[in-house]
Amino acid sequence: MTAKAETELWDVYTKDRVKTGTLHRRGEKMQDGEYHMVVHICIFNSRNQLLIQQRQPFKKGWSNMWDVTVGGSALQGESSTQAAEREVSEEIGLKLDLSGARPDFTISFEDGFDDWYLLEREVDPDELHLQEDEVQAVRWVDKEEVIRMQEQGIMIPYWFLDRLFEVRGYDAHGNQGQDIEIKLATMHNLASWMSLAEIVRDNFPGLETQELLDGYRGTVIKNIERGSAICAMHGRIVVGVLLFSEKHNMLSCMAVHPEYRRRGIACRMMKLMFARLDRTKDITVTTFREDDSKGIAPRSLYQSLGFEPAELCIEQGYPSQVFVLRSIESVK
């Protein structure tokens, strides 16, 4: 520990992360019920490599070991992001603006709270200015190499180190940003698909009873097996579903989670469906009639995509109407 470090003062927090108004001098023992704040910054590049640093052999605590990019304690008066900016600047000479950032996750330890920031930056290690009394080297490593270094006993043994390469950019539910993936469904998606079906079942004739819902489940399985089931995924959660028939060149059913509507999900699912249907033939879909309030949104969607209202019908015992998207050849 350097002389400078021995003069560091930390804000003392309660277990609820509220400042007590008292200060703690680094190196002295903290009292029961006293906690301080620590930050760790992990800088990745676009190739999902982690920038790591090797601590000096004379530095107290994990001497000569390799560590994540930067870590350290917050000083008196610093917020978490201010501490992160300062530590990165001091240890490797890199200027960051984290004014709008939040920690990706926080881990509690015996004496405090450890905020972890997972950032992406393109950094040239040769252009960094290392703090000589703290850091002796920096370099990029991929996941496999950092695990190997940990097994060799030359990397600080964070138990979750390998997971850092997988979780950056994701929230606590496994969702990455607001990206929605449109894809063909697999059996792995079935449980979440049926969960969505239960949410929207009141708006879909033919799903009123558990027996009908079980029958629908069987239909979904058959469509998954033959590659005619499309789903919209937010992380691991199904937020949109679409079944279609190549044999009949038709959209069989479609639904979007109420909390994910007006994001263009239905159009994107239909675009994938169009790529798998025969556009030299008419494509049909059956929906609600014009005087049915449930039909306002779907009818508007289908008409915006070029579908035209056609004959009235009864489907699943419910008054409905067929919509037709004319074949490419008939439109010429």
Side-chain angles (χ1 to χ4, degrees):
M1 187 183 298
T2 65
K4 178 182 178 182
E6 292 176 341
T7 64
E8 283 185 5
L9 293 177
W10 302 336
D11 288 310
V12 175
Y13 293 81
T14 68
K15 67 180 180 62
D16 298 314
R17 200 160 174 161
V18 177
K19 287 184 181 181
T20 64
T22 60
L23 300 176
H24 177 84
R25 186 178 301 278
R26 180 171 182 165
E28 297 178 356
K29 181 177 175 55
M30 299 198 77
Q31 301 301 310
D32 290 343
E34 292 185 340
Y35 305 92
H36 74 108
M37 182 165 58
V38 171
V39 295
H40 279 88
I41 301 87
C42 299
I43 297 179
F44 293 85
N45 61 23
S46 58
R47 298 185 299 279
N48 204 30
Q49 294 175 312
L50 173 64
L51 185 67
I52 60 173
Q53 65 154 282
Q54 187 177 23
R55 299 161 71 90
Q56 289 287 10
F58 48 78
K59 179 176 171 59
K60 185 177 180 180
W62 303 111
S63 304
N64 210 41
M65 297 283 281
W66 286 90
D67 197 354
V68 297
T69 314
V70 168
S73 297
L75 302 181
Q76 174 188 359
E78 286 184 330
S79 66
S80 176
T81 53
Q82 289 171 339
E85 290 175 350
R86 175 186 53 76
E87 288 286 355
V88 172
S89 177
E90 286 182 354
E91 292 194 12
I92 63 174
L94 182 65
K95 301 296 184 181
L96 294 178
D97 180 5
L98 301 179
S99 55
R102 293 186 298 165
D104 288 87
F105 61 91
T106 300
I107 293 180
S108 295
F109 62 99
E110 183 179 3
D111 293 330
F113 316 93
D114 191 351
D115 289 341
W116 285 73
Y117 294 85
L118 310 183
L119 311 175
E120 182 170 317
R121 300 287 191 280
E122 299 301 327
V123 177
D124 184 349
D126 294 332
E127 295 182 358
L128 297 176
H129 301 285
L130 308 184
Q131 186 178 18
E132 292 184 0
D133 58 353
E134 296 269 350
V135 183
Q136 60 174 306
V138 294
R139 65 188 180 98
W140 291 108
V141 293
D142 58 22
K143 178 181 176 181
E144 290 70 25
E145 185 172 4
V146 84
I147 292 174
R148 185 164 56 250
M149 293 173 68
Q150 201 169 50
E151 291 173 345
Q152 292 172 341
I154 60 175
M155 185 86 191
I156 294 178
Y158 301 106
W159 64 266
F160 49 85
L161 185 61
D162 59 327
R163 302 307 301 272
L164 296 179
F165 292 81
E166 303 170 9
V167 303
R168 65 188 186 95
Y170 286 83
D171 65 19
H173 307 292
N175 302 319
Q176 189 172 37
Q178 295 298 314
D179 291 341
I180 305 295
E181 179 189 8
I182 308 298
K183 70 181 192 70
L184 291 178
T186 67
M187 290 301 295
H188 181 74
N189 306 126
L190 181 61
S192 187
W193 182 303
M194 292 307 300
S195 176
L196 175 56
E198 292 193 35
I199 294 171
V200 301
R201 63 190 295 186
D202 291 342
N203 289 323
F204 287 85
L207 298 180
E208 294 87 353
T209 67
Q210 187 59 49
E211 182 180 1
L212 290 172
L213 198 61
D214 291 340
Y216 173 74
R217 184 177 187 276
T219 299
V220 174
I221 292 173
K222 290 179 181 179
N223 279 268
I224 289 176
E225 291 174 342
R226 60 182 174 228
S228 54
I230 295 171
C231 61
M233 304 294 300
H234 191 190
R236 297 180 178 87
I237 303 173
V238 173
V239 297
V241 297
L242 185 154
L243 298 179
F244 64 94
S245 169
E246 292 188 45
K247 179 179 179 180
H248 300 288
N249 220 44
M250 66 179 292
L251 191 167
S252 304
C253 76
M254 181 172 64
V256 176
H257 193 293
E259 296 178 20
Y260 288 81
R261 291 171 185 166
R262 296 183 177 85
R263 298 192 191 183
I265 292 174
C267 289
R268 291 177 61 196
M269 291 193 296
M270 291 181 70
K271 182 178 180 180
L272 179 55
M273 178 194 72
F274 289 148
R276 303 180 70 86
L277 293 181
D278 187 351
R279 289 297 284 114
T280 66
K281 300 178 181 178
D282 290 351
I283 297 175
T284 61
V285 60
T286 301
T287 188
F288 303 100
R289 294 186 181 181
E290 187 176 12
D291 58 354
D292 192 329
S293 61
K294 295 179 181 179
I296 296 174
R299 290 173 67 94
S300 176
L301 170 65
Y302 296 138
Q303 288 180 301
S304 71
L305 294 173
F307 283 82
E308 302 172 358
E311 68 270 16
L312 301 177
C313 62
I314 302 294
E315 187 170 273
Q316 301 287 344
Y318 196 91
S320 306
Q321 185 172 18
V322 175
F323 270 55
V324 180
L325 179 64
R326 300 301 176 186
S327 68
I328 296 176
E329 294 183 354
S330 66
V331 175
K332 293 180 181 179

